[in-house]
Amino acid sequence: MKKIILFINMAILLGCSSSNEEEIETNDSDVVYDNLVWADEFNDSSLDTDKWFHQTIGPNGGKWFNDELQHYTDSNTNSFVSDGNLHIVAKKETKTQNGVSLNYTSARLNSKYAFTYGRVDVRAKLPEGNGTWPAIWTLGKNIS
């Protein structure tokens, strides 16, 4: 059995042109993980920075992979907590970051919690429409 350590990454992606999927080795046994290991109900008036961080630096020469059309920001106009909900907002606005100008902004949030075994429950309302690719990912902690 391969040990998988996960963290949660949430973002709204704009203008993505491709995706890379890797197969993950799993255990075929019927294991049930009833233990909820981490939660955030967004009950505070702001994002809990002990649980989340904004990923704002593009790893691909100042841009993101998949030819995304936005910069991710830590601006409270792109991500905020209200009425027990986390809001991630994509906006049409030009932003220059690391010498790269893009015409949209959004937010990319990563959890600060990693675990080996346990249950992950996500309740999310995702936007729809041409040019959007809302995403909630579970990735290994070793993803750079």
Side-chain angles (χ1 to χ4, degrees):
M1 179 198 305
K2 188 175 186 179
K3 233 185 202 186
I4 301 172
I5 300 175
L6 301 174
F7 70 93
I8 299 170
N9 175 296
M10 298 192 308
I12 295 177
L13 310 175
L14 299 171
C16 297
S17 61
S18 66
S19 68
N20 294 328
E21 294 183 18
E22 292 183 25
E23 217 171 285
I24 297 175
E25 181 182 326
T26 60
N27 184 354
D28 291 333
S29 67
D30 294 326
V31 178
V32 176
Y33 297 105
D34 288 331
N35 183 27
L36 182 62
V37 295
W38 182 83
D40 190 346
E41 297 297 327
F42 303 107
N43 293 327
D44 296 328
S45 60
S46 62
L47 190 68
D48 185 343
T49 56
D50 288 336
K51 292 182 177 181
W52 298 96
F53 70 94
H54 286 89
Q55 187 176 0
T56 59
I57 299 173
N60 187 23
K63 290 182 70 175
W64 297 90
F65 296 110
N66 298 328
D67 295 324
E68 296 174 30
L69 300 177
Q70 78 282 331
H71 280 302
Y72 293 115
T73 78
D74 58 3
S75 168
N76 61 9
T77 63
N78 289 118
S79 61
F80 59 92
V81 173
S82 174
D83 298 324
N85 295 301
L86 169 64
H87 298 262
I88 299 175
V89 180
K91 298 180 72 176
K92 184 174 173 112
E93 61 183 354
T94 302
K95 179 171 178 66
T96 301
Q97 187 171 294
N98 299 324
V100 176
S101 292
L102 296 173
N103 295 321
Y104 298 92
T105 61
S106 186
R108 183 180 183 123
L109 297 165
N110 294 336
S111 69
K112 292 183 177 182
Y113 186 76
F115 59 95
T116 303
Y117 301 107
R119 188 181 87 231
V120 175
D121 293 339
V122 175
R123 290 184 316 253
K125 182 177 179 181
L126 302 176
E128 60 182 74
N130 292 337
T132 64
W133 182 20
I136 298 174
W137 301 323
T138 53
L139 301 170
K141 186 178 179 183
N142 63 340
I143 301 297
S144 59

